[in-house]
Amino acid sequence: MPRFRLKLFSPFLQFLYCLLFLFNAPVAHALTAEAREIEQQLAKSAALGLSKNALGDLQRFYSARHYQPVWVTKNPHSPSLDAALAFIANADNEGLRSNDYQLHQLQQLQPHASESLSSASELEVRTTHAVLTLARDLSRGRLTATVADKDWHIAQPAFDTVAFLQQAIKQDRLQQALDDLPPRNSVYQLLKQTLAHYRQLAANHTEWVHIPSSPSIRPGDTHPHIPLIRRRIAQAHAADDTAEFYIANTKSERYDNELVTAIKAFQAQHGLNGDGVIGKNTIRALNIPLAWKIRQLRINMERLRWLPRNMGQRYLLVNTAGFHLTAIEHDEPILTMRIIVGRDYRSTPSFNGALSHMVLNPYWNVPASIATKDLLPKQQSDPTFFTHGGFKIYPGNNRNAEPIDPETINWHNLKRGFPYFLRQDPGKHNALGRIKFMFANPFNIYLHDTPSKSLFQRDIRTFSSGCIRLEKPFELAAFALNQESLPEKFIEDLDSDKTITKHLPKPLPIYLVYITAWIDEPSKLVHFYPDIYDRDSSTLRYARW
């Protein structure tokens, strides 16, 4: 009986299937963004609201593939479209904003792609535009570095987004290609992980305990703010899971050894000297809001995207915000040291170059601005300053003339300008110390030794006129020469007190950057540095983040 019924109704069922196919044929057809419709979509530049450059990229991309679709195809569950939308949604995890890449609009378009060719084609074109834009932003930064930060002079990586996407599709490795776009270095990846964790804390409405201002609190002191500081350190432990931040839950007002250890670790994390004294800089660091740290992570991830992906097998990274220089070989830090950078009104810019030579026992040819603003007032208050400091005074810019006796000049009569050239002889008072490291750059900046060693113990080390003073100049000299230690001949030349130039066997790349959130390699902990030049604030205002 069942077989009879099936045979009896099979023509009817076949008729129903035909009707079903006829009614659904347009739907299945509409799931494909046709070449003609894509070409028409690109002709509607005003309706799409795209810039001339963006439209040009889309035209170049689709014309090369004869306007055939990539995302909206005959497959109603296109894995390519899913990959593209997931890629765009992930922008938030990279410190960017997914809705800057039309994620919400694409999600609204997606259900309507089956209703008309026009909707399918619009989804296709807008998805490509979003993918191209995000790919560019992840590979070289969303912002134009030199506009966002007027003191940034490192060329952003070149990246052809159209060629990238075409190649990824052609090689059938779209997912892997998209995953490889952000920087792969450990610093960027750990900043990314910390950003996700801090955002989760913010979502849970975490607010740091506020520590009121007070005179410095020293180890062993008893102070009413200590219980608040204990609570704040407990929050730091929850945020960063640093072993030193784990302290006993007590309301004691005594600044005991356990809390001292935690404060020293907190100071180190925030670029402060780990002396355990809770002064104004430590209290300021304790009170930095979580929301600001999230913004700080985002803007520093952006700065890392501005940097070249391949910085060389051996190079120097000078982080002016963190007051540190790191010598890197095969992606591993070989040498680190404290540095002193330019004052806020003579801030050290971000730029790159290559060390070419060193000068032992250097002269210091004093820039006119420093002679006028810094040294002249010292000579006016102390008539022996130039003599005791080993300075020679020459008329105008004539360095070959006979030096002038400083006692024959009425220094108080110099009201405008400085009609002399100052040169400081090599010696123990020389501002450049015993060695300087030279590399061509338009800012006349170099690295050098310094006789003022005590300044390296300060928290905020902005004391120079733009050049970089080094804590360990001779260790750097050995690295620059690609030697484990300084050769005997080098030491002999240094001790001769003669001014001698030493050329490096190979130029050593150097990058001077301003990055206020960095990773301490041994602990894998994010270190936050003060925004000494206000570049975080100004760049964040420009980005509207």
Side-chain angles (χ1 to χ4, degrees), residues 358-433:
M358 301 175 283
V359 180
L360 310 187
N361 304 308
Y363 289 90
W364 181 32
N365 297 320
V366 183
S369 60
I370 296 176
T372 305
K373 296 177 182 177
D374 298 346
L375 301 186
L376 176 58
K378 293 180 180 180
Q379 174 67 18
Q380 289 172 335
S381 62
D382 177 7
T384 67
F385 175 78
F386 284 153
T387 302
H388 288 164
F391 289 94
K392 295 267 193 324
I393 299 97
Y394 297 91
N397 285 322
N398 188 356
R399 307 180 191 187
N400 297 318
E402 284 294 318
I404 303 171
D405 184 348
E407 293 185 3
T408 64
I409 300 172
N410 187 338
W411 298 104
H412 291 280
N413 279 350
L414 299 181
K415 304 298 183 183
R416 293 184 180 180
F418 192 83
Y420 305 103
F421 170 75
L422 286 184
R423 169 181 280 177
Q424 190 178 30
D425 290 336
K428 63 180 182 179
H429 297 298
N430 188 282
L432 307 185

Side-chain angles (χ1 to χ4, degrees), residues 142-445:
R142 177 166 178 79
L143 308 175
T144 300
T146 53
V147 177
D149 179 355
K150 62 181 177 59
D151 291 304
W152 187 276
H153 304 275
I154 302 173
Q156 285 176 268
F159 187 73
D160 187 335
T161 54
V162 172
F164 157 79
L165 189 55
Q166 287 171 337
Q167 192 74 0
I169 294 168
K170 181 180 179 181
Q171 295 179 349
D172 194 24
R173 57 180 302 274
L174 177 65
Q175 187 63 61
Q176 185 61 49
L178 296 177
D179 290 343
D180 289 343
L181 281 167
R184 309 308 299 171
N185 63 72
S186 61
V187 174
Y188 183 90
Q189 294 302 318
L190 286 167
L191 290 185
K192 177 179 172 179
Q193 292 174 23
T194 305
L195 175 64
H197 180 52
Y198 280 18
R199 277 180 163 165
Q200 185 59 52
L201 291 174
N204 294 335
H205 306 291
T206 301
E207 292 288 344
W208 300 147
V209 173
H210 181 77
I211 312 301
S213 299
S214 70
S216 293
I217 306 172
R218 300 182 180 279
D221 287 354
T222 298
H223 197 281
H225 293 169
I226 290 297
L228 292 176
I229 294 171
R230 290 184 184 279
R231 287 170 54 198
R232 175 66 185 89
I233 290 297
Q235 290 179 319
H237 181 260
D240 297 316
D241 196 27
T242 301
E244 291 86 350
F245 292 166
Y246 182 79
I247 57 175
N249 183 10
T250 173
K251 295 182 179 179
S252 170
E253 294 186 354
R254 185 173 178 275
Y255 187 17
D256 59 23
N257 290 337
E258 184 183 48
L259 183 56
V260 171
T261 299
I263 287 295
K264 286 182 177 180
F266 186 88
Q267 288 171 327
Q269 184 191 8
H270 290 80
L272 305 174
N273 281 317
D275 56 11
V277 177
I278 305 174
K280 62 179 182 179
N281 289 332
T282 301
I283 291 176
R284 184 183 299 119
L286 289 165
N287 286 332
I288 295 172
L290 177 60
W292 173 258
K293 287 193 171 184
I294 289 172
R295 298 178 73 203
Q296 202 173 3
L297 288 166
R298 291 183 65 197
I299 202 61
N300 284 289
M301 289 171 70
E302 173 72 0
R303 287 188 180 114
L304 292 177
R305 290 189 287 263
W306 292 348
L307 289 172
R309 294 302 169 87
N310 183 6
M311 299 171 73
Q313 292 186 344
R314 302 180 81 252
Y315 63 92
L316 304 180
L317 187 70
V318 179
N319 186 358
T320 55
F323 306 109
H324 272 87
L325 178 149
T326 306
I328 297 171
E329 185 172 82
H330 302 301
D331 297 325
E332 294 294 331
I334 303 299
L335 170 68
T336 62
M337 70 183 73
R338 298 182 181 197
I339 59 173
I340 292 169
V341 302
R343 299 178 181 91
D344 54 357
Y345 59 90
R346 288 178 182 154
S347 63
T348 306
S350 298
F351 65 102
N352 64 311
L355 262 60
S356 57
H357 62 281
M358 301 175 283
V359 180
L360 310 187
N361 304 308
Y363 289 90
W364 181 32
N365 297 320
V366 183
S369 60
I370 296 176
T372 305
K373 296 177 182 177
D374 298 346
L375 301 186
L376 176 58
K378 293 180 180 180
Q379 174 67 18
Q380 289 172 335
S381 62
D382 177 7
T384 67
F385 175 78
F386 284 153
T387 302
H388 288 164
F391 289 94
K392 295 267 193 324
I393 299 97
Y394 297 91
N397 285 322
N398 188 356
R399 307 180 191 187
N400 297 318
E402 284 294 318
I404 303 171
D405 184 348
E407 293 185 3
T408 64
I409 300 172
N410 187 338
W411 298 104
H412 291 280
N413 279 350
L414 299 181
K415 304 298 183 183
R416 293 184 180 180
F418 192 83
Y420 305 103
F421 170 75
L422 286 184
R423 169 181 280 177
Q424 190 178 30
D425 290 336
K428 63 180 182 179
H429 297 298
N430 188 282
L432 307 185
R434 302 184 68 193
I435 184 171
K436 68 176 179 179
F437 300 80
M438 304 300 293
F439 58 106
N441 66 85
F443 309 103
N444 196 27
I445 285 176

Side-chain angles (χ1 to χ4, degrees), residues 477-518:
F479 181 84
L481 293 170
N482 204 6
Q483 302 280 339
E484 289 188 9
S485 60
L486 288 175
E488 187 175 334
K489 180 65 167 66
F490 186 99
I491 297 173
E492 289 176 0
D493 289 340
L494 186 66
D495 291 341
S496 72
D497 293 332
K498 295 178 182 178
T499 301
I500 299 173
T501 297
K502 296 279 189 180
H503 291 279
L504 302 187
K506 186 178 180 180
L508 180 62
I510 179 171
Y511 298 84
L512 291 87
V513 298
Y514 185 86
I515 298 178
T516 59
W518 194 253

